[in-house]
């Protein structure tokens, strides 16, 4: 250890300039921001006015507006399945290639929609094909964005979301103008041209490796000493015989076993030298500590090919400097037992579901996001039931949109000066939105509803800005596409199950109040489990400090 340790420390000579490759925090990342905004404007801005666009067409077919819900339902299901399946495609193709495939599919669907003459064709084009295209584009867009930014995510995502919201607000006026001037088919042709811009949005999603910038570091290279026995006086060494389930052992993060000096290093595990890492990005690099005795299970044979392959990955982790500062997470290196289910689970990255924190995150986000979209969809109907005039309803909705837009911009500016925790933002948005919705249903007059809708609009921005970032801050960046795909699949399932249930109860009781209470309960399905998780993590940290 001594000679190798000295050589390792010697390589960190202060006279030698060392660099690491980090995301640009700008540069081509600005183009990625524009591309993300263009993709969402081209793909989602027209959805709130879908019924307005196709109303006369559906009346001519004699099917009524019920077909709108069918098309939207097919779109949501396909979107969820495609988002989940995008991970399979990403195993073979790059992010930009998958994005271009999704953009071409979406544009082709918009082109076919110009010639629709039946409800079935409308379901295929605007439901299935457009859902397929956007299902591929959304994970690609968010993954590209998160790979280009680390510290300024809130700022630039706020600006992207604000631009998307601004265009969505003026879209009804734009559609009204195009229908008046160019008619139904002419409007669909214009929408097709707008959809084609998603291709340009996908083109700018270049690999972040092309645009990484050099940053000088003091001594942050991770050096892995070849597997030498751990020192006998280490009280926290691994005991591989306690259980056959190696993964349940009390493993330690490399971040917690760093050494400050060579003398301290001799007193520690004797395996790794790593400086303390701050503001780090996470990579799932496997590392294992080998006990000093000869009772090690044969699965950890040092000549094992799987072991050597993973050991090489850990030893050469400095070559992965593309991801900025790295926190190495130790995991036992064992051969996976072959099996059909395990093969499928690994291929689809279903192993993410073994992480209960991740499960808690996607369940809470799915319930909250569903409740948010459903509330603002039902609110105009609720206002109409309270005998408010059309002008008053329009003012209330406009104020909600304006406060949402203003809050997104303010969040972006705040992110420039303060470090905002995205999960705290989402938690606060879910909690206060639920409380203010319960207050909202207590009033039936114009002014209180105007004020409360403005507050709810501002709180909505917390949820929408934080949603893509929460997951990126928890999972390794290379696992973001499958992680977001699983979230999309769960969100689609909740929309298809909880949504109709709330609709049935509202129709049966005739009360929007009950529906809004149930939506508040959906928010609490995020708030309560996240609170429990926070308490558990706090207790664990407190115990670890005491021990």
């Amino acid at each position: 250890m001594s000679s190798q340790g000295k050589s390792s420390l010697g390589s960190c000579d202060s006279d030698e300039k060392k660099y690491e490759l980090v995301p640009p925090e700008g540069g081509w990342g600005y183009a990625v921001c524009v591309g993300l905004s263009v993709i969402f404007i081209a793909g989602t801005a027209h959805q709130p006015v879908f019924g307005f666009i196709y109303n006369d067409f559906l009346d001519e077919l004699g099917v009524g507006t019920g077909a709108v819900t069918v098309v939207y339902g097919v779109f949501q299901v396909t979107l969820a399945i495609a988002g989940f399946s995008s991970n399979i495609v990403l195993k073979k193709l790059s992010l930009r290639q998958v994005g271009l495939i999704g953009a071409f599919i979406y544009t082709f669907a918009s082109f076919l929609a110009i010639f629709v003459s039946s409800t079935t064709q409308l379901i295929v084009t605007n439901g299935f094909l457009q859902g397929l295209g956007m299902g591929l584009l959304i994970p690609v867009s968010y993954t590209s964005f998160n790979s280009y930014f680390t510290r300024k995510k809130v700022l630039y995502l706020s600006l992207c979301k604000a631009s998307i919201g601004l265009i969505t607000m003026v879209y009804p006026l734009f559609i009204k103008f195009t229908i008046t001037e160019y008619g139904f088919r002419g409007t669909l042709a214009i929408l097709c041209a707008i959809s084609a811009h998603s291709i340009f949005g996908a083109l700018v999603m270049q690999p972040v490796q092309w645009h990484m910038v050099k940053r000088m570091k003091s001594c942050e290279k991770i050096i892995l000493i070849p597997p030498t026995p751990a020192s006998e006086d280490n009280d926290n060494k691994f005991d591989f015989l306690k259980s056959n389930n190696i993964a349940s052992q009390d493993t330690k993060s490399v971040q917690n076993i760093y050494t400050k000096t060579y003398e301290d290093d001799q007193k520690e595990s004797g395996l790794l030298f790593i400086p303390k890492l701050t503001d780090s990005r996470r990579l799932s690099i496997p590392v294992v500590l080998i006990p000093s005795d000869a009772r090690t299970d044969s699965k950890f044979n040092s000549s094992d090919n799987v072991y050597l392959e993973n050991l090489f990955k850990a030893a050469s982790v400095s070559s992965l400097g593309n991801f900025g500062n790295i926190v190495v997470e130790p995991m036992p290196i064992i051969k996976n037992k072959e099996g059909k289910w395990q093969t499928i689970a690994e291929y689809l990255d279903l192993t993410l579901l073994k992480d209960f924190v991740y499960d808690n995150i996607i369940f809470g986000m799915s319930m909250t996001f569903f409740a948010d979209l459903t509330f603002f969809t039902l609110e105009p109907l609720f206002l109409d039931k309270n005998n408010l005039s059309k002008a008053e309803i329009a003012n209330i909705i406009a104020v909600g949109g304006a406060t949402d837009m203003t809050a997104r911009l303010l969040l972006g500016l705040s992110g420039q000066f303060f470090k905002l925790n995205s999960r705290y933002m989402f938690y606060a948005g879910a909690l206060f939105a639920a409380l203010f919705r319960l207050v909202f249903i207590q009033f039936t007059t114009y002014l209180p509803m105007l004020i409360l809708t403005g507050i709810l609009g501002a709180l909505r921005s917390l949820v929408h800005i934080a949603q893509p970032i929460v997951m990126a801050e928890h999972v390794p960046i290379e696992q973001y596409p499958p992680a977001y795909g699983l979230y999309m699949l769960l969100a689609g399932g909740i929309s298809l199950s909880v949504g109709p249930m709330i609709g049935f109860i509202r129709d049966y009781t005739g009360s929007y109040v009950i529906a809004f209470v149930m939506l508040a309960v959906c928010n609490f399905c995020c708030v309560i489990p996240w609170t429990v998780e926070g308490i558990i993590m706090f207790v664990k940290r407190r115990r670890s400090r005491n021990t």
Side-chain angles (χ1 to χ4, degrees), residues 169 376-377 379-381 383 390-404 446 449-450 453-454 457:
M169 286 178 62
F376 283 97
T377 300
E379 185 187 18
L381 303 176
L383 297 173
K390 298 293 184 183
E392 289 174 331
I393 294 174
N395 290 338
I396 291 174
I397 295 174
V399 166
T403 55
D404 180 14
Y446 172 68
M449 287 185 171
L450 181 73
T453 299

Side-chain angles (χ1 to χ4, degrees), residues 382-454:
F382 174 72
L383 297 173
D384 186 62
K385 289 293 183 181
N386 285 303
N387 300 319
L388 296 177
S389 67
K390 298 293 184 183
E392 289 174 331
I393 294 174
N395 290 338
I396 291 174
I397 295 174
V399 166
T403 55
D404 180 14
M405 190 74 53
T406 304
R408 294 184 188 197
L409 293 173
L410 290 176
L411 279 174
L413 294 175
S414 300
Q416 184 73 357
F417 301 102
F418 307 101
K419 186 174 181 180
L420 303 177
N421 185 295
S422 62
R423 198 164 182 196
Y424 291 164
M425 287 170 54
F426 196 97
Y427 179 89
L431 173 61
F432 289 110
L435 296 177
F436 276 100
R437 283 173 198 162
L438 295 177
V439 175
F440 178 81
I441 59 179
Q442 307 301 320
F443 296 93
T444 58
T445 54
Y446 172 68
L447 186 59
M449 287 185 171
L450 181 73
I451 296 173
L452 288 169
T453 299

Side-chain angles (χ1 to χ4, degrees), residues 16 62 105 135 343 422 447 506:
E16 181 183 356
I105 292 175
T343 301
S422 62
L447 186 59
R506 197 226 67 81

Side-chain angles (χ1 to χ4, degrees), residues 12 32 72 77 118 120 146 171 194 201 220 222 225 317 374 381-382 386 405 407 454 479 482 487 491 509 520 547:
C12 296
V32 172
Y72 187 71
V77 172
S118 67
T120 303
N146 281 296
Y171 230 73
I194 295 174
E220 293 182 351
I222 297 176
I225 304 304
V317 69
T374 306
L381 303 176
F382 174 72
N386 285 303
M405 190 74 53
Q479 284 189 306
Y487 160 73
T509 60
T547 56

Side-chain angles (χ1 to χ4, degrees), residues 247-520:
S248 65
Q249 298 295 329
D250 184 20
T251 58
K252 278 193 170 186
S253 171
V254 175
Q255 192 176 12
N256 296 328
I257 63 173
Y258 72 94
T259 56
K260 295 180 180 178
T261 64
Y262 173 65
E263 288 75 19
D264 293 336
D265 186 56
Q266 289 181 315
K267 299 178 182 179
E268 295 294 335
S269 65
L271 286 177
L272 292 169
F273 169 78
I274 179 174
K276 187 174 182 181
L277 300 176
T278 57
D279 191 23
S280 303
R281 306 188 73 185
R282 301 170 63 246
L283 282 176
S284 54
I285 305 299
V287 179
V288 66
L289 301 183
I290 306 300
S292 58
D293 59 314
R295 298 172 296 171
T296 307
D297 186 80
S298 60
K299 291 179 181 178
F300 287 85
N301 188 340
S302 60
S303 64
D304 184 88
N305 291 332
V306 175
Y307 170 81
L308 293 176
E309 180 184 353
N310 286 279
L311 183 62
F312 173 78
K313 291 179 182 178
S316 61
V317 69
S318 60
S319 65
L320 296 177
N322 298 348
F323 294 94
N325 293 335
I326 299 173
V327 172
V328 183
E329 295 187 340
M331 63 177 69
I333 302 171
I334 61 175
K335 281 186 176 180
N336 295 323
K337 295 180 179 179
E338 295 297 332
K340 292 182 179 179
W341 168 246
Q342 183 172 354
T343 301
I344 294 173
E346 291 178 353
Y347 193 69
L348 298 177
D349 279 337
L350 297 180
T351 51
L352 284 164
L353 298 177
K354 293 181 180 180
D355 182 356
F356 294 109
V357 175
Y358 168 76
D359 297 338
N360 199 17
I361 288 175
I362 63 172
F363 178 74
M365 289 202 311
S366 299
M367 295 297 288
T368 301
F369 218 67
F370 160 77
D372 175 80
L373 296 177
T374 306
F375 174 82
F376 283 97
T377 300
L378 294 179
E379 185 187 18
L381 303 176
F382 174 72
L383 297 173
D384 186 62
K385 289 293 183 181
N386 285 303
N387 300 319
L388 296 177
S389 67
K390 298 293 184 183
E392 289 174 331
I393 294 174
N395 290 338
I396 291 174
I397 295 174
V399 166
T403 55
D404 180 14
M405 190 74 53
T406 304
R408 294 184 188 197
L409 293 173
L410 290 176
L411 279 174
L413 294 175
S414 300
Q416 184 73 357
F417 301 102
F418 307 101
K419 186 174 181 180
L420 303 177
N421 185 295
S422 62
R423 198 164 182 196
Y424 291 164
M425 287 170 54
F426 196 97
Y427 179 89
L431 173 61
F432 289 110
L435 296 177
F436 276 100
R437 283 173 198 162
L438 295 177
V439 175
F440 178 81
I441 59 179
Q442 307 301 320
F443 296 93
T444 58
T445 54
Y446 172 68
L447 186 59
M449 287 185 171
L450 181 73
I451 296 173
L452 288 169
T453 299
I455 295 173
L456 288 169
L459 293 173
R460 187 185 196 192
S461 65
L462 292 173
V463 172
H464 282 256
I465 296 299
Q467 179 249 347
I469 305 176
V470 170
M471 203 175 301
E473 292 182 347
H474 178 72
V475 302
I477 191 66
E478 74 272 17
Q479 284 189 306
Y480 186 86
Y484 199 85
L486 285 171
Y487 160 73
M488 291 177 67
L489 189 65
L490 178 61
I494 289 175
S495 179
L496 290 174
S497 56
V498 180
M501 180 184 69
I502 293 179
F504 171 78
I505 293 175
R506 197 226 67 81
D507 292 339
Y508 182 77
T509 60
S511 173
Y512 283 97
V513 172
I514 294 177
F516 287 166
V517 169
M518 294 181 68
L519 293 178

Side-chain angles (χ1 to χ4, degrees), residues 161-171 405 408:
K161 293 283 187 177
S163 64
I164 296 168
L166 180 63
I167 297 298
T168 304
M169 286 178 62
V170 301
Y171 230 73
M405 190 74 53
R408 294 184 188 197

